[in-house]
Amino acid sequence: MADFVQALDPSKLVLVGTALSFVTSAFSAPVYNLPIFLLGTYAQESSEAIQSLKTFTFLLAGSMFYDIIWMANNSQNWFIRTVTILLLLLKVPTTFSFVTALQQRVWSMPGGFTSSGRDGYQNVDSPVDAPKPLSVPPAQPTPQPAAPNPGAYQSV
């Protein structure tokens, strides 16, 4: 199951969800699907948008329950009902792929769970590493010849 979810492309899933939501928006259908999928398009494109990605993932997962409640309380044309059901079914793998993408974004940040051994943040209690030696040793100063009158001032 994990390999299947990792093989999914979140950007294509959210694009198909946006297109299906747009098709159903002109008819009697849940009105919240198009804004949610538009948020998903933004969250997928912006690599720094961790909070937007979390928000989209939770809204998408919660909207699955609202879709079931909405379809039970409202009547639709058979074609629009079919597209709404397809959109509901599309939300399941989209949610799983965005949860996986969220884990990869958060855990690969500096100071995240996978930053040990790299240039991530360091704990206060951890020992400081010694500086790395230079690849070329510094040149040794050449010895100066002894002065003829030690203690006297020398001209330069």
Side-chain angles (χ1 to χ4, degrees):
M1 175 78 175
D3 293 334
F4 173 72
V5 171
Q6 288 179 349
L8 295 175
D9 186 9
S11 63
K12 290 184 181 175
L13 288 171
V14 79
L15 182 65
V16 170
T18 304
L20 289 176
S21 298
F22 181 74
V23 167
T24 62
S25 66
F27 303 99
S28 176
V31 295
Y32 50 83
N33 282 331
L34 183 60
I36 289 174
F37 276 104
L38 288 175
L39 175 65
T41 303
Y42 167 74
Q44 177 61 33
E45 294 296 323
S46 178
S47 61
E48 293 88 24
I50 300 295
Q51 187 63 36
S52 298
L53 190 63
K54 286 180 185 178
T55 303
F56 170 70
T57 305
F58 289 126
L59 284 175
L60 191 66
S63 71
M64 288 188 276
F65 298 111
Y66 281 110
D67 282 346
I68 294 169
I69 293 169
W70 194 93
M71 286 189 290
N73 292 333
N74 296 298
S75 62
Q76 291 177 302
N77 183 336
W78 68 270
F79 179 72
I80 300 302
R81 175 69 64 142
T82 305
V83 174
T84 305
I85 291 172
L86 286 175
L87 187 60
L88 174 64
L89 294 175
L90 179 71
K91 287 181 180 182
V92 175
T94 306
T95 302
F96 285 137
S97 68
F98 272 86
V99 166
T100 304
L102 183 64
Q103 288 175 346
Q104 289 173 353
R105 282 190 192 178
V106 170
W107 289 353
S108 65
M109 292 176 63
F113 296 110
T114 60
S115 67
S116 60
R118 297 189 307 185
D119 294 328
Y121 297 114
Q122 183 178 5
N123 292 337
V124 176
D125 297 335
S126 63
V128 177
D129 296 334
K132 296 178 182 176
L134 298 174
S135 59
V136 178
Q140 298 294 330
T142 57
Q144 298 291 330
N149 295 335
Y153 290 107
Q154 298 177 0
S155 62
V156 179

